[in-house]
Amino acid sequence: MNARVFLLLLWPITASAQGFAGLGTDVDGFSSPQRPAQFDFPIDHGPHDDYRIEWWYLTANLEGLDGTPYGLQWTLFRSALTSDVGKGWSSPQLWMGHAAVTTPDAHFVTERLARGGIGQAGVQADPFEAWIDDWQLVGPDFATLTVTASGPDFAYIWS
Amino acid sequence: MTNAGLLALLSHWRRNPMQLFTLVVGLSLATALWSGVQAVNTEARASYDAAAETLGEGMFAQIIARTGTIPQEDFIALRRAGWLVSPVVEGRLDGIRLIGIDALTSPGGLTPVGLSDGKLTVDMITRGILFATQETLERLGEVDVRKFPSSDVAPAVILTDVGTAQILLGLDGQISRLIVAPQQPIIQPPLEVIAPNFELIPPQSGSDVGRLTDSFHLNLTAFGLLSFVVGIFIVHGAIGLAFEQRRPVIRTLRALGFPLVHLIALIAFELVGISVLAGMIGVGLGYFIAASLLPDVAATISGLYGQSISGTLQFRPEWWVSSLLIAVGGTALAAAASLWRLACMPLLASARPHAWAMQARRSRLIQAVFAMFLLVAASLLGWLGSGLAAGFAMLAALLIGAALALPVILDGLLTAGARHAKSIIEEWFWADTRQQLPGLSLALMALLIAMATNVGVSTMVSSFRLTFTGFLDQRLASEFYVYADDAQQAASLRAYLELRVDKVLPIQSANQDIRGLPSEIYGPIAHATYRDNWLFLDAAPDAWALIEAGQAAAINEQLARRAGIAIGDEITIAGHPFKVLGIYGDYGNPIGQVIITEAKFAALFPEISPLSFGVRIDPSRVTALSLDLGTHFGLTEVNMINQAGIKAFSLAVFDRTFTVTGALNILTLAVAGFAILMSLLTLATMRIPQLAPIWAQGISRARLGRLEIVRAALLALLTTALALPLGLSLAWTLLAVVNVEAFGWRLPLFLFPLDYARLAVFAVVAAVIAALWPATKLARTRPADLLKVFANER
């Protein structure tokens, strides 16, 4: 079993009833969301490294110029291996990007993995930018976002 | 019924334990050599696989910087431009290769070891862990990082995370190279646009080290197969004999109503049982053979090809299962003809065992035709074929063709001998020897093959050694070699030496790929030492003058052959074109080599300055000079070596390289010797009816015994005489075809008459010893037993 398969198991891909593949359970050292929570935007659009997992998620139903319907999805997950604060390569933060396109008769999907701490992936609150490799969700404000993703058999850019 | 039938069949072995012994031991020996070689190959291959998987060398395209290391920002920039590349940081830690990778982005299979342990993955990323074999970790000194032993990592390599490697190697923010994932996104800017200083190297195919070592393993496999074939000859003989002798039992069983199909199934079952038993013994023996050969194979591989393989053997199912299968398969092959004959035999066919010998005579013509065909094929392959496969096919055709021709040739020789017989007893001797030939021919074929191999391989190794020694004398022309620790010391050392010796020859080299092959570029100064001693195998006129003028280069033979470079072709060194004007022999070097002038070298590789020097000096002054340098520069034994020292070391490496070949050679000969002994023993018991009439006519038993010994010696001598030309053709094929493909150099053939004479004596002595026991048995046969022959005559 190689690391790739193993790491996939770490990720909260399937939000099962038991709670995010076990990542929803309490682990010492991480913060847990408390009620009542007061959000502070735009800062809270950025990452919260003291929490174990979080993700930035966009789905869209689109129509082509010829009337063909398309489904589009773009997600960036952040997952921390430990609650330590590591710098550079020793950062415990891992990132996974997931992108998909559906047409009436086909489904395209691809993903990316990246280490935190080296600039390969991350999220910046203001001006908002979430990225992994060449994929990004970016814009001066949330009304004018541009989203890009690419894989071996499809790519999209939409704004 | 099955039980009764099986008991009846098995009773044969109880009455002929020697035959059972021959069968089991023959098969075990055959399997042992085969499985030993397979075990060595499997172990080596596992090492290469581990190396390929963990290092990603050869499998994937890579990106390197022309200027050295790649800044980490550039790696991020490439990723952010849509290039799926994975960072690798490498260097040496305590002289051991340390490789840092990123498990998240490395292409499939490139991850270190089995990371099924989640905690280990987390720790590797956040804290750093060094993965290596136990052996490698023990060589590593004190480091502040956790060590984790794993047998999946290639030998002599430490694997860790990129970040850990950067810290340990002092390469903060730097990447050594980038591995390009095989699948890239459909939209991607060209590499030149993002990083103009980077170079994309396509995946290595063709002539990488893996393929080079393949040829070495093919050599070993060929040897294993040869031993197996020799062993199967024994098994074939033993099974054929057992079938013949069991004819009466089989006839009786069938006459009693035992169905033929049932009988064949029982015999097949019995043979499978015996072969599995013998196969298991063979695998056990093979393990010991492999375990004792492996350290030498490891030394050979690293000496010849610069590849590391593990020196410890694991009991891998790949080889022992295949060895068991080949034992059963070999037995099936050896028994197929006998089983077929049994299936076709009429119910009440004659049960006389002598049908066997008659049969052999009838098939002689077919055998001769087939032998001719194989020998013609061998010469055609030698003439028209090219490549390693053709070389080995030629060897196989030659050996098998000659083996098949052996009985025919021996028969002819014996007939000729009979014509010169002066007495009746002599005439009987020749005729009787001819009559025994069918029974002995399998063993003699085995002996022929084993001896021819011995002659061939020892000629090859000795020719190689002779050429190599001569080559060392030429190449190591300087009387004294000295190595500086750093550039500063080197400069003052050079200045010091210039004033005191005849000539100082700086030795400097750079590593470069020439036409995709790893090579070393040397930049020697112009001096008579090179002109006089580096003899070209092939060169243009005035080659040295033009090379010294800086316009041209000389390359070694292996580079010329592997890259297909001929005199007059152009090669590129560090972006600069050079015309190849000379090709020189460079035996024992695994990689390519190029010589250019010192001035050109300095221009192309300004960062490299020579650290070692060859010193031309009167040999009598060497000792004084080394003492002088010791006091002046504090140089120790490690930094200074005289010519004799290097030569001795090089020859020691060379000799170790061929230890494996020598060991396999002797084992094959031993198997053949065993075959002769067993055949003679079997024949001795069968021959009583033939000898009884001679004894009855007044020839004493002692004399009959002596004649038996003479006969064995004669046959061995004749076989040796035939093995010699065969062995020399074998040596030629090895030197001119196989070596060229396997190592990249062609060697001249030398003859070693004394060695051949010794081998002949050895063969005759072995045959006499083998004949001694049956002959003594014969001489001691009670007259009553001899008389019984007449009473029981069928």
Side-chain angles (χ1 to χ4, degrees), chain A residues 2-4 6-7 82 84 89-90 92 112-115 118-120 129 131 133-134 136 150-152 154-155, chain B residues 72 76 79-80 82 84 87 102 104-106 111 115 118 121-122 125-127 161-163 166 183-187:
Chain A
N2 68 27
R4 178 68 54 88
F6 169 74
L7 286 164
T82 66
D84 301 340
W89 287 104
S90 58
R112 297 289 175 83
L113 292 171
R115 299 271 284 272
I118 54 166
Q120 190 188 338
E129 184 182 9
W131 78 93
D133 294 342
D134 53 325
Q136 52 183 1
S150 65
F154 78 97
Chain B
Q72 191 166 305
I76 300 295
R79 292 283 320 190
R80 296 224 57 195
L84 298 190
D102 174 24
L104 254 66
T105 49
S106 61
T111 47
L115 286 184
T121 317
V122 172
I125 288 176
T126 55
R127 291 197 173 79
D161 186 59
V162 198
Q166 282 183 344
Q183 266 206 333
Q184 295 286 329
I186 51 171
I187 308 174

Side-chain angles (χ1 to χ4, degrees), chain B residues 693-706:
Chain B
I694 312 294
W695 168 77
Q697 284 164 33
I699 310 292
S700 72
R701 288 173 298 160
R703 188 163 177 206
L704 282 176
R706 277 199 299 279

Side-chain angles (χ1 to χ4, degrees), chain B residues 60-64 177-178 180 191 199-204 513 516:
Chain B
F60 302 104
Q62 300 190 37
I63 290 175
I64 54 161
R177 53 191 168 94
L178 296 168
V180 183
L191 184 66
E199 195 174 339
L200 182 69
I201 303 170
Q204 281 174 19
D513 278 10

Side-chain angles (χ1 to χ4, degrees), chain B residues 180-538:
Chain B
V180 183
Q183 266 206 333
Q184 295 286 329
I186 51 171
I187 308 174
Q188 197 177 49
L191 184 66
E192 303 86 77
V193 176
I194 327 159
N197 288 325
F198 291 174
E199 195 174 339
L200 182 69
I201 303 170
Q204 281 174 19
S205 53
S207 45
D208 57 349
V209 178
R211 217 182 103 194
L212 275 179
T213 49
D214 270 357
S215 59
F216 176 79
H217 292 298
L218 193 57
N219 255 317
L220 280 187
T221 309
F223 242 114
L225 202 59
L226 192 69
S227 319
F228 188 73
V229 168
V230 169
I232 288 301
F233 272 43
I234 304 174
V235 174
H236 182 79
I239 290 179
L241 196 62
F243 267 79
E244 287 303 325
Q245 292 184 343
R246 278 200 288 193
R247 277 189 173 207
V249 177
I250 289 165
R251 187 185 59 173
T252 310
L253 280 174
R254 287 189 63 192
L256 288 171
F258 207 93
L260 179 64
V261 181
H262 208 133
L263 200 57
I264 290 178
L266 272 185
I267 293 178
F269 173 75
E270 171 203 67
L271 285 177
V272 168
I274 292 174
S275 60
V276 167
L277 172 75
M280 285 191 319
I281 299 173
V283 166
L285 285 173
Y287 182 84
F288 286 106
I289 293 177
S292 53
L293 286 184
L294 200 60
D296 284 321
V297 170
T300 303
I301 297 280
S302 72
L304 278 177
Y305 305 104
Q307 278 277 57
S308 301
I309 64 171
S310 167
T312 47
L313 189 67
Q314 288 179 41
F315 209 69
R316 294 177 197 266
E318 290 106 296
W319 62 265
W320 68 258
V321 169
S322 79
S323 297
L324 269 187
L325 284 179
I326 201 166
V328 175
T331 312
L333 203 69
S338 298
L339 273 176
W340 177 247
R341 233 175 292 150
L342 174 66
C344 298
M345 195 170 75
L347 177 60
L348 289 175
S350 158
R352 278 167 46 208
H354 294 289
W356 187 47
M358 307 299 286
Q359 170 79 24
R361 225 163 281 162
R362 240 176 295 132
S363 64
R364 180 151 311 161
L365 185 70
I366 308 171
Q367 199 174 323
V369 170
F370 194 54
M372 274 311 287
F373 169 75
L374 281 174
L375 291 175
V376 168
S379 39
L380 278 180
L381 275 169
W383 182 35
L384 302 170
S386 69
L388 202 61
F392 276 110
M394 182 188 160
L395 285 183
L398 192 67
L399 282 177
I400 297 172
L404 287 177
L406 180 75
V408 184
I409 297 172
L410 283 180
D411 197 56
L413 287 174
L414 291 173
T415 314
R419 256 184 244 123
H420 295 95
K422 288 190 192 74
S423 65
I424 294 196
I425 212 54
E426 265 183 54
E427 214 166 296
W428 168 79
F429 173 79
W430 289 107
D432 189 54
T433 310
R434 264 188 75 191
Q435 208 242 333
Q436 275 197 69
L437 211 49
L440 270 175
S441 64
L442 280 173
L444 290 175
M445 285 182 192
L447 183 68
L448 177 81
I449 292 184
M451 285 216 291
T453 313
N454 197 294
V455 168
V457 171
S458 67
T459 304
M460 186 267 278
V461 173
S462 304
S463 295
F464 194 175
R465 197 171 194 281
L466 214 58
T467 315
F468 188 67
T469 321
F471 158 78
L472 282 181
D473 285 342
Q474 293 171 6
R475 183 57 66 84
L476 299 172
S478 297
E479 285 74 19
F480 186 69
Y481 294 85
V482 55
Y483 309 94
D485 291 326
D486 53 58
Q488 203 184 349
Q489 191 188 37
S492 50
L493 190 65
R494 187 175 183 178
Y496 185 81
L497 285 169
E498 296 276 12
L499 301 171
R500 285 164 180 81
V501 302
D502 299 340
K503 187 75 192 170
V504 180
L505 304 170
I507 299 166
Q508 50 186 347
S509 70
N511 294 324
Q512 281 270 308
D513 278 10
I514 301 293
R515 299 209 180 165
L517 297 168
S519 305
E520 286 169 320
I521 317 296
Y522 275 83
I525 58 169
H527 189 254
T529 302
Y530 300 107
R531 285 192 294 275
D532 296 346
N533 288 310
W534 290 50
L535 301 181
F536 287 133
L537 300 172
D538 190 10

Side-chain angles (χ1 to χ4, degrees), chain A residues 67-84:
Chain A
T68 316
Y70 292 98
L72 188 141
Q73 177 249 318
W74 193 100
T75 319
L76 181 65
F77 298 93
R78 182 190 61 76
S79 172
L81 293 173
T82 66
S83 57
D84 301 340

